[in-house]
Amino acid sequence: MDINTLYSFFKGLLKGDSILFSLFISIFMAALRIIYSGGSFLEIILEGMLCGCLTLIAVSLINFMGVSSHLTVSIGGFIGFMGVKKINYWINKIISKNLP
């Protein structure tokens, strides 16, 4: 592997619209949040994986809706910071309000 290839890979990763970087930010923020609240290692792993999956879903939704891909890292950070339980609560609240 060439040094220019690595340079272009990391440059593309850090430019702000990379799905991999948004996934990393989501998992990292979730891990920090669980560590801060005193969770176990298993909670860190599971919450990180769930936030990562939710980030991938959110990124594909914003791409489908035509929203700028520059928001992917922000979405990953937001999901990691808020957590799966809080986002699940919001989604259930929205769905129950809109369905009879």
Side-chain angles (χ1 to χ4, degrees), residues 12-56:
L13 188 67
L14 297 175
K15 74 178 183 177
D17 60 351
S18 171
I19 294 173
L20 290 176
F21 194 59
S22 65
L23 186 64
F24 170 75
I25 290 294
S26 176
I27 293 169
F28 183 71
M29 290 290 289
L32 287 179
R33 184 175 39 78
I34 297 296
I35 290 169
Y36 181 75
S37 65
S40 68
F41 182 72
L42 183 61
E43 286 176 314
I44 294 170
I45 298 298
L46 291 176
E47 183 76 12
M49 290 173 60
L50 286 170
C51 284
C53 291
L54 193 56
T55 299
L56 289 176

Side-chain angles (χ1 to χ4, degrees), residues 34-94:
I34 297 296
I35 290 169
Y36 181 75
S37 65
S40 68
F41 182 72
L42 183 61
E43 286 176 314
I44 294 170
I45 298 298
L46 291 176
E47 183 76 12
M49 290 173 60
L50 286 170
C51 284
C53 291
L54 193 56
T55 299
L56 289 176
I57 292 167
V59 167
S60 68
L61 277 174
I62 67 164
N63 287 336
F64 176 74
M65 293 169 47
V67 179
S68 174
S69 63
H70 294 290
L71 293 174
T72 57
V73 176
S74 301
I75 288 172
F78 176 77
I79 289 172
F81 181 73
M82 296 310 292
V84 175
K85 289 181 184 176
K86 177 85 63 177
I87 293 172
N88 182 25
Y89 172 76
W90 289 341
I91 290 172
N92 284 333
K93 194 172 182 180
I94 290 169

